[in-house]
Amino acid sequence: MEKRTDSNTPTIEALREERDALKRENAELILKLKWFEEQLRLGKERQFGVSSEKTNSVQLTLSLFNEAESDANPQAPEPTVETITYKRKKKQGQRQEKLENLPVEVVNYTLSEHEQTCTCCGGDLHDMSTEIREELKIIPPQVKVIRHVRHTYACRHCERQATQTPIITAPAPKAVFPKSLASPSAMAYIMCQKYLDAQPLYRQEQQLKRLGVALSRQTMANWMIYGASHWLQLIYDRMKAKLVKQDLLHADETTLQVLKEPERPATSKSYLWLYRTGHLGPPIVLYDYQTTRASKHPARFLADFKGYLHVDGYAGYHALQSITLVGCWAHARRKFSEAIKALPDSAKDSVVLAKEGLAYCNNLFKIEQNLKKSNASDEERYQTRLKQSKVIVEAFSAWLKKQTPRVLPKSALGKAIHYCRTQWEKLIVFLQDGRLEMDNNRAERSIKPFVMGRKNWLFSNTPRGAVASSTIYSLIETAKENGLIPFQYLSYLFEQLPNLEDQTNETLDKLLPWSSSLPENCKLSSQQS
């Protein structure tokens, strides 16, 4: 007799399907849990950990170039790095070297003539020795009014006898901002306070009020926008013309909030793009404000550039024409470092794949450090990379392909491997030319002052203000890169530019930050730099 089953009773096949579905769901939940645990550890590390990416020299667990694999012992402890410490003897006269560039005011303490008498015998005293004490005197900012009075002259004889009387007015420098209280030094000071020392305008307003000056932040903002658009933009354009003629450049970008952009909410993200020269040619650092992160912006800015461009992994640079992109190994190393930090405590002391990936990167950077220490030429760097770095790069490529199917794609390690594989064609470009750098740290260092300043002044009010900010930042950072004192340099520009008879390329080039025509007071001394 055939056994019947109730229609409401699940069949064995249905139970198996339900079991398999629960297993898959459980596996997915476990993966999600591990991912969230990784993010939690990374978040704690970013908030409380050390921000430096320096790592100890990590040895590869798998020998890269030694064929005697049979000698390997996975249980053997990793060799430690011996740290040698020593005490450096203090250089004699070090204090004098620090003070030699400061003006000196001498105060003599002497006895009056009637006091220069011996208390014992009444004889005259002579100057036997001196005792010298040095101290620093700090003079706080002072504000004073400069009243420019132009005298006009006429001839009394012609006034009486001639039909026309010649009138001559004494020459005077033109104002940097007509019909305002702005002077070259005041405009330069406000710019440096905000963009060099990260002092927002409302704090400057309070500071000036304590000095007895009622100067509103709106007035100071007008000064900066006028100074940037009428005068500094001339120098900016000349620097851009010089920049795009270079063979090697670096680029990066960061966010910027602009409140009053047309047809955009105040919370929209805008971007400040950075373009700068490499270690060749005069140091030039330019910022470019744009509303989006679209690839059309670097394509337009670098339309006349043809050469190598160091970038990070952002895909917006891929559309650039006639430009060879150079990948950043510092980003690759950083991702493996984050993967190590995302590991649970139980796996910290074990040899993990993330440490192997980090070791490849560290070995490449070690070669670059040795080249830098030896002051290697571009050709020597190129040959060394072909002999030493290329072997490591090829081994790393094979390692990445091998590990890809063995790791979870969404894990921190999986993302590190994925980054290297997708960026590989750009990462290996540094082997083509000894002038190229392995990373884009030069651009990251140049964009950091803006990022730090943004934490204080938070946003720009209008697009005009954002453009002015990018121009002023460009002049200040380029001045710093060329060993200038930004305040003195900007003051000099605001004195010279309004009084240039012809604003030709030749006259403007004499005012560029690397020009030999700049006065000495604009330049940092060797002790200050």
Side-chain angles (χ1 to χ4, degrees), residues 403-418:
Q403 304 307 328
T404 298
R406 300 171 59 185
V407 298
L408 298 174
K410 292 186 178 181
S411 66
L413 178 57
K415 291 179 179 179
I417 293 176
H418 177 75

Side-chain angles (χ1 to χ4, degrees), residues 30 36 53 74 76 98 105 128 198 215 258 265 305 318 324 351 363 373 400 437 492 498:
I30 291 174
F36 281 119
E53 295 177 15
K98 293 179 180 178
E105 176 185 341
M128 183 183 69
L215 202 61
V258 182
F305 171 69
H318 296 173
T324 302
V351 179
N363 288 337
K373 290 178 181 179
L400 291 170
E437 298 179 42
Y492 179 72

